[in-house]
Amino acid sequence: MNEVSKKPRAIWGSKIAFILAATGSAIGLGNIWRFPMMVGRYGGAVFVLVYVLAVALIGFTVMLAELTIGRHTQKNPVGAFERIKPGTAWKAIGYLGVVTAVAILSYYAVIAGWAIGYVFKTAGGAFRDLGGAEAAAASASRAFDSFVADPLLVLVLLMGMIGMTAHIVSRGVREGIERWSKILMPLLFVIVVILAVRALTLPGARAGVSFYLKPDFSKLSGTVILFAVGQAFFSLSLGLGTMLTYGSYIRKSDNLVSSAAWVSFSDFLIAFLAGIIIFPTLFAIPGIAPEEGPALVFKVLPLIFSKIPLGQMFGLLFFLLLILAALTSTISILEVPVAYLVDEKKWSRRRAAWLVGGLAFLLGVPSALSSGGSALFTRLKIQDRMDFAFGSVSLAVGALLIAVFTGYIWKAKNAAQEIRLGAPRFRLEKAWSLAIKFLAPAVILIILIFKILKG
Ligand code: PFF
């Protein structure tokens, strides 16, 4: 799977190998860090509800389209559109994906760096004694704020995260990583379930449960829908060609429909459970607001670790597994520009991985310093803005173009033919064709226009 440039092209060893890599890409900081942050900021349970619909109706639809384009063409995102519609501007979708990938990698790795820092802090006993109920939230907050404001530390952690990613992508030792994650991701799941159960049994957890699960429809707005749909793309790794690239290594005989369904469902499950940990804890131990933003989970998680036997061990394990989950995602992000440079520009894998990684690091510096490390970048909220521009808007634009391309340019019936190679019955054909031609483009277009009008 590592030498993308060699012909014949590598193919996943099995359907399971693909599913592991694709869920590895999907499950990451988007589930544990970004999803609770969005829920807290944009309306609680109403956001969750819109998110579920967005994943099932739009995310799944676009994922199936990406996988199908990838498998049909067996190419990187730029090459794929060029192969289906040669000599047209449609390959711009691929370029957009390449640029978006570098930008997302730059700030995503900053957050992953925070998780690395939290491994050391937890191991060092920083969260062992947070004090009584009132004091606990305050000291967890203070610990976070001073940690992320250390400019040198956050930059070193950013470099570490990007370095690991570039190393793995350049050497193509992905197989090793995937084998590890096969064992360790179920462990992450188990820990998440344990923490969720503990959070639910905290005295005072109820208020958090209703914030998270009892929709208040007066909070429904265009903004909520915009961010819920954006979060679906982010979490499912859609809109920049990651799933297209992974799809390009799938065997013709594999069932793309059930693969897409499985990846979407397991990704949703982890995000949903992350919310079950964060919100009951946040309401049971007051002091941190749901609207906290990027710091939210880093401030709330130590609270739950302090409320569970062997909390320090759980905390340590949790952050280690979170780093691994983030790593399987950063690998998939870096893979997009690297596959492009290797396939189309004939670069060596090594050169592509390290140069793009270096670029992402430079681009990540302002984000890393925007949580207190630099007064200017902090005031400009660089990281938040990067996440909005690339993690929400750019992915939505990419997904829109992919839907329009699949539905009208390549045509849904041609895509369906590719899908049927491994799923002869393809019972969802009618529904999927309608969704890719009408529902997905209409919804994405409306939210983008809404955003432009609202400024
Ligand atoms: N889906 C990843 C997560 O939820 O953490 C992030 C991500 C990976 C976004 C790959 C986009 C992408 F292409």
Side-chain angles (χ1 to χ4, degrees):
M1 203 65 333
N2 33 30
E3 287 296 326
V4 186
S5 57
K6 279 194 188 134
K7 306 281 184 276
R9 226 156 174 274
I11 293 269
W12 300 112
S14 63
K15 182 176 166 190
I16 294 295
F18 158 73
I19 287 184
L20 277 173
T23 41
S25 168
I27 296 174
L29 299 169
N31 308 60
I32 309 266
W33 161 74
R34 202 175 189 268
F35 176 73
M37 161 174 110
M38 291 291 179
V39 173
R41 273 183 171 171
Y42 302 111
V46 135
F47 182 96
V48 181
L49 188 68
V50 179
Y51 179 71
V52 173
L53 294 174
V55 168
L57 299 177
I58 300 173
F60 171 79
T61 301
V62 174
M63 182 177 299
L64 188 50
E66 275 202 36
L67 293 179
T68 307
I69 295 171
R71 189 176 70 177
H72 183 72
T73 59
Q74 309 201 347
K75 289 254 175 216
N76 69 86
V78 175
F81 294 101
E82 180 62 16
R83 156 137 329 162
I84 294 178
K85 279 288 156 206
T88 63
W90 286 101
K91 61 175 169 299
I93 304 177
Y95 292 122
L96 175 70
V98 168
V99 173
T100 307
V102 181
I104 291 185
L105 179 61
S106 77
Y107 71 85
Y108 190 95
V110 171
I111 316 288
W114 295 354
I116 300 177
Y118 263 51
V119 166
F120 291 102
K121 279 177 97 69
T122 313
F127 307 120
R128 207 160 30 192
D129 185 16
L130 287 171
E134 294 292 285
S139 50
S141 281
R142 237 179 294 117
F144 176 81
D145 292 335
S146 64
F147 160 64
V148 288
D150 181 339
L152 190 64
L153 184 56
V154 288
L155 288 179
V156 168
L157 293 172
L158 169 64
M159 191 178 272
M161 189 65 201
I162 291 191
M164 278 196 282
T165 307
H167 174 75
I168 293 167
V169 170
S170 80
R171 296 261 311 263
V173 286
R174 280 245 304 285
E175 307 233 340
I177 280 280
E178 265 130 39
R179 215 167 302 137
W180 273 98
S181 67
K182 177 155 56 176
I183 305 160
L184 293 175
M185 285 304 105
L187 186 59
L188 175 65
F189 178 76
V190 171
I191 293 185
V192 166
V193 170
I194 293 173
L195 294 174
V197 170
R198 181 65 190 103
L200 286 174
T201 52
L202 288 175
R206 257 210 130 87
V209 176
S210 45
F211 174 84
Y212 187 50
L213 295 178
K214 240 176 95 197
D216 170 357
F217 286 97
S218 68
K219 292 190 183 150
L220 185 61
S221 68
T223 309
V224 168
I225 300 174
L226 167 72
F227 283 103
V229 175
Q231 174 62 18
F233 296 139
F234 188 95
S235 196
L236 296 172
S237 304
L238 298 175
L240 58 71
T242 301
M243 288 298 165
L244 189 157
T245 307
Y246 276 15
S248 72
Y249 311 117
I250 302 179
R251 290 183 298 205
K252 295 285 182 193
S253 57
D254 283 343
N255 185 331
L256 298 177
V257 185
S258 62
S259 299
W262 173 253
V263 174
S264 307
F265 176 72
S266 47
D267 183 67
F268 166 76
L269 193 62
I270 298 276
F272 182 77
L273 289 169
I276 296 268
I277 299 173
I278 297 298
F279 294 102
T281 307
L282 175 126
F283 280 81
I285 306 173
I288 296 161
E291 298 84 8
E292 175 70 42
L296 179 72
V297 299
F298 288 90
K299 292 185 173 180
V300 174
L301 284 168
L303 302 177
I304 190 75
F305 300 140
S306 74
K307 291 285 177 206
I308 197 164
L310 301 176
Q312 197 180 358
M313 184 205 81
F314 273 111
L316 191 63
L317 213 51
F318 179 88
F319 285 118
L320 278 171
L321 295 172
L322 184 58
I323 296 165
L324 187 77
L327 197 56
T328 51
S329 301
T330 52
I331 291 168
S332 76
I333 301 175
L334 185 56
E335 187 69 40
V336 171
V338 168
Y340 161 68
L341 291 168
V342 170
D343 276 5
E344 307 287 318
K345 300 284 168 209
K346 309 294 169 225
W347 284 27
S348 77
R349 196 157 243 285
R350 206 165 138 213
R351 173 159 175 240
W354 285 104
L355 279 180
V356 178
L359 187 64
F361 171 75
L362 292 178
L363 200 61
V365 170
S367 291
L369 299 180
S370 69
S371 302
S374 137
L376 175 68
F377 293 141
T378 307
R379 193 150 22 85
L380 293 175
K381 297 204 180 113
I382 296 291
Q383 183 187 287
D384 235 15
R385 283 176 207 269
M386 289 286 287
D387 187 41
F388 174 70
F390 295 98
S392 294
V393 178
S394 199
L395 292 184
V397 172
L400 170 65
L401 294 173
I402 289 169
V404 169
F405 179 85
T406 310
Y408 298 96
I409 307 302
W410 186 23
K411 300 231 171 1
K413 66 174 194 307
N414 292 322
Q417 210 167 6
E418 175 70 36
I419 295 170
R420 252 187 268 108
L421 294 177
R425 304 227 307 289
F426 191 23
R427 269 176 294 158
L428 288 175
E429 174 167 353
K430 191 103 207 134
W432 178 77
S433 306
L434 290 173
I436 201 75
K437 280 164 77 174
F438 304 108
L439 182 71
V443 172
I444 305 171
L445 205 57
I446 290 169
I447 58 175
L448 286 173
I449 291 173
F450 165 84
K451 188 59 214 166
I452 294 166
L453 293 182
K454 263 197 81 192

